[in-house]
Amino acid sequence: MNTAGHSEATTRRGLELIPFRGLRYDPDRVGSLAAVTSPPYDVVVRPDGLHHLQSADPYNIVRLILPQAATPSVRNEQAADTLRRWLSEGILTTDTEPGLYVYEQRDGDGMLQRGIIGALRLSEPSEGVVLPHEDVIPHVVADRAALMRATSANLEPLLLTYRGNGSASATAEAVERTATQPPLLATTTEDGFSHRLWSVTDPADLARIRSDLADRQALIADGHHRWATYRRLRAEHPSPSPWDYGLVLLVDTARYPLRVRAIHRLLHGLPVAEALAAMEGHFRIHRLELPLAEALDALAGAARAGNAFLLAGDGAFHLVDRPDPALLARTIPTDRPTAWRTLDATVLHATLLDHVWRIPEDSPAHIAYIHDTAATVAKAERDGGTAVLMHPVREDVVRDLARQGVTMPRKSTSFGPKPASGLVLRALDV
């Protein structure tokens, strides 16, 4: 970890990842592990996604991470009741020995990612140990906090990255050696990804991993709202307590680089024609009669030259780029680095949402954040809204801004592959 320029470097602690007794589905009780897993709570984006997952299997993890009921309090109590019932019925069982968990994901294109799941000591951003790179939406943090309070559990791991020393580190050596052993579980989900999980319980291995991570610094790749939730709930419980730690997956991107994709916006109640009319004179606008893949290629080409977006929802794609410099000068704050001021997400939020369209970015009644490109377009076309498709940000830009303590606009990036939810959970009362 580079501590140059930090006066607190001599006292700052690094990552502290501790073993825990994982909660896991009993494969003999659920039949198919693939049928009970889910993407993370905020990536269930298919138009019928939640219904499909809930109806696919009575024990699907979405019944815990996204319970469905008339009010938030009823939803959360329902999740807590479901968790208690699954534990009493043996659907979920607690591992007998605390451990860390090596987790592997593969897809059909040759992508391989391995990391290690554990309970990470929570820290403040000022400590420079875990670096956020995006702002959070307060009502989402409140929602996740209420669910965690009700269930007293970390239901799905966050995705954090760090930069190790390739294969030379003790953690990398333990991960690779463990992955040669028979796994605790192996399954392939409907998206084509195969998943394998192992436990690491040997005290010597745990000690070496702990020592290796003690001088590392991590970037939150996915899970800013859940990290903020962890920190909020820690403040509610006297320390020391299990709430001092939160469930994470740590991936060494020096060994396993992540993919970085965009998160798109769906603007409710704003038809494409109205969105484009408000942009006239401020952006260059081209109508594209192209398939989605080719329209995204056109967006990528335009993004190399500056800020660019793709609007959809009326049966066509509209490439908007070359924003008026005078408009940007009037609307974008000047107290941030150039790399932040020129981000597409900055221009979208500070210029388009705030000034051109006047849409509140934290109101779910006005805007949704969706990871899947085709689903965003389909929802816009079905609902009469506007899909704003984004081009992804490079990982080095994200990391550099995070190290400067500069957060990007909320939902600016989507790192992946994300860990599947439902493979291992952490109870806070065991």
Side-chain angles (χ1 to χ4, degrees):
M1 178 175 66
N2 181 11
T3 57
H6 290 270
S7 61
E8 76 279 15
T10 56
T11 58
R12 185 174 71 194
R13 293 180 290 176
L15 301 173
E16 182 185 333
L17 193 71
I18 66 170
F20 68 102
R21 295 174 61 203
L23 295 182
R24 296 189 294 111
Y25 283 101
D26 181 345
D28 294 331
R29 297 298 307 276
V30 299
S32 168
L33 287 173
V36 297
T37 63
S38 164
Y41 80 98
D42 59 340
V43 192
V44 182
V45 296
R46 290 170 47 167
D48 66 337
L50 188 61
H51 173 76
H52 162 76
L53 288 170
Q54 285 205 322
S55 61
D57 191 283
Y59 300 119
N60 191 280
I61 192 67
V62 296
R63 295 177 186 270
L64 299 182
I65 64 174
L66 280 175
Q68 297 298 291
T71 66
S73 61
V74 174
R75 287 198 299 269
N76 296 329
E77 189 52 44
Q78 178 178 294
D81 289 343
T82 300
L83 179 57
R84 285 191 292 266
R85 185 175 72 255
W86 288 358
L87 287 167
S88 66
E89 295 175 356
I91 304 303
L92 287 170
T93 61
T94 305
D95 285 339
T96 57
E97 193 173 358
L100 301 176
Y101 295 84
V102 170
Y103 176 47
E104 175 190 279
Q105 294 165 279
R106 290 180 186 264
D107 69 6
D109 298 325
M111 190 285 306
L112 169 65
Q113 177 176 290
R114 288 179 180 145
I116 193 158
I117 296 174
L120 184 69
R121 183 186 65 84
L122 305 181
S123 58
E124 298 299 319
S126 60
E127 295 180 59
V129 175
V130 175
L131 304 176
H133 69 267
E134 289 182 358
D135 293 329
V136 296
I137 303 170
H139 75 81
V140 176
V141 176
D143 173 76
R144 292 293 97 186
L147 178 64
M148 284 191 206
R149 280 191 208 98
T151 58
S152 192
N154 298 155
L155 300 172
E156 46 186 348
L158 284 63
L159 175 60
L160 273 61
T161 72
Y162 71 100
R163 302 289 292 178
N165 303 323
S167 60
S169 74
T171 303
E173 189 277 330
V175 166
E176 301 307 316
R177 177 166 40 81
T178 301
T180 65
Q181 305 300 314
L184 290 175
L185 64 85
T187 190
T188 300
T189 45
E190 65 176 18
D191 57 6
F193 273 85
S194 65
H195 309 262
R196 296 199 296 169
L197 191 77
W198 299 259
S199 63
V200 179
T201 58
D202 179 74
D205 279 338
L206 295 175
R208 283 191 289 266
I209 292 170
R210 185 184 185 107
S211 176
D212 177 50
L213 295 176
D215 65 347
R216 306 290 184 192
Q217 180 185 57
L219 174 74
I220 301 176
D222 184 68
H224 283 81
H225 290 89
R226 283 167 286 165
W227 182 257
T229 298
Y230 288 169
R231 292 178 52 237
R232 174 182 290 192
L233 294 175
R234 178 189 63 174
E236 297 175 4
H237 294 81
S239 186
S241 83
W243 298 90
D244 293 339
Y245 296 81
L247 187 63
V248 306
L249 166 65
L250 275 174
V251 174
D252 178 358
T253 52
R255 189 168 182 83
Y256 296 108
L258 269 64
R259 297 169 177 170
V260 187
R261 292 177 175 157
I263 301 176
H264 310 297
R265 275 67 171 160
L266 174 62
L267 309 181
H268 304 299
L270 179 67
V272 175
E274 291 183 19
L276 292 172
M279 299 175 75
E280 285 286 352
H282 299 305
F283 287 77
R284 185 178 69 168
I285 302 172
H286 281 305
R287 181 183 177 93
L288 305 177
E289 298 287 351
L290 297 171
L292 175 58
E294 294 180 28
L296 290 173
D297 288 341
L299 173 62
R304 285 193 286 270
N307 300 118
F309 309 93
L310 202 61
L311 271 57
D314 61 352
F317 295 101
H318 307 269
L319 179 65
V320 296
D321 63 356
R322 298 187 185 180
D324 175 16
L327 175 65
L328 300 184
R330 291 197 309 272
T331 57
I332 293 180
T334 59
D335 60 346
R336 307 285 182 88
T338 299
W340 180 90
R341 288 166 30 225
T342 55
L343 289 170
D344 287 339
T346 298
V347 173
L348 173 63
H349 285 253
T351 302
L352 284 170
L353 292 177
D354 287 356
H355 292 272
V356 175
W357 295 326
R358 300 192 179 280
I359 293 176
E361 61 179 326
D362 58 354
S363 169
H366 293 88
I367 185 169
Y369 298 85
I370 304 178
H371 294 73
D372 184 270
T373 309
T376 311
V377 175
K379 284 175 179 284
E381 292 180 346
R382 186 187 65 213
D383 301 340
T386 295
V388 183
L389 306 184
M390 310 281 288
H391 187 66
V393 183
R394 299 193 319 273
E395 181 181 0
D396 62 316
V397 173
V398 176
R399 193 175 294 275
D400 286 347
L401 285 172
R403 283 177 172 157
Q404 296 176 60
V406 177
T407 54
M408 299 167 64
R410 58 196 59 173
K411 298 292 186 181
S412 292
T413 59
S414 175
F415 284 87
K418 304 178 190 304
S421 297
L423 297 180
V424 62
L425 293 66
R426 174 178 176 250
L428 290 146
D429 52 5
V430 296

